[in-house]
Amino acid sequence: MISVCLIASFFAASPLVERINNNPANTWKARDYPANIISIAKAKENIKFPETQTAKKSFAPLSTGDFPETFNCGERWPGSIGPVRDVGTCGGSWAFATANVVAARLYTINKGVGPLSPQDLVSCCDDAYGCQGADIEVVWHHLHYGGVTTEECIPWVSGYGRVPLCPAHCKDGSNITRQWVKSYTMIEGGEPAMMKQMMEEGPIVGGFMMFADFLQYTSGIYHYVEGGFIAANTVMIFGWGVENGVKYWNCMNNWGPYWGENGFFRIQRGINTCSIEGLSSAGHFYF
Ligand SMILES: *[C@@H]1O[C@H](CO)[C@@H](O)[C@H](O)[C@H]1NC(C)=O
């Protein structure tokens, strides 16, 4: 009986996955992931966005015609897009997304230092909620006043949800040196404002409302199909393009390289699916 169930579950996709994959109108494919790759626990974090953003239902119809059809920060600034990492069961997407964006933007001013430390933020940003989430403005405030050190100095250890106290020294005993942003913006103005930010200064932090179908994404251009609201998620958006007439954003998730398109995903651009065009932000290295 047990082996029959195992065989059946090996071959049969869940009804949600079958419905997504069998509808030719969908521009993306789904699969059932094992629990070690996609756990509900890590998706349960509570991320707050400023009311000026969340209250916004539509954007001024600014022209996107002035922008190239495709743009990729990784090509524009080689080395800026760091490796995909895995937040584990910690609700710390806010720390990964902001650390990844600051790390990438250091490359745009020729001051790249490799991956920055989400652990530093989870452990040391006192006004965030560690593995339970954060108010994204509070995180940028911390990145402005406190900064963030390198992954090498404070490596990620909260993958199982335990958050150690803010360390006094790097793992190897040396003094902690941090990178900080001079200012930050909660981006308003939707698609063209996001594109302008990326072309001028590099990747941005993207926020979006995550629904059940997103967890099963495996390839293509995601747009909401069905499923209940899970939580907000934050990721790095680093480019855009068009495939078969469908516009998309290039994003890096924090669920390891075995989820999605090698850890990355594309999400439909220009229709504000899951509020992806309403909740982005970025730090700057100028005042
Ligand atoms: C580390 O920081 C301490 C305290 O600020 C300072 O006294 C010490 O000289 C620093 N060590 C190095 C190697 O810079």
Side-chain angles (χ1 to χ4, degrees), residues 168-169 173-177:
H169 300 281
S174 61
N175 286 348
I176 299 172
T177 53

Side-chain angles (χ1 to χ4, degrees), residues 124-129 134-135 138 141:
C124 305
C125 182
D126 290 337
D127 295 322
Y129 322 123
D135 178 330
V138 163
H141 183 87

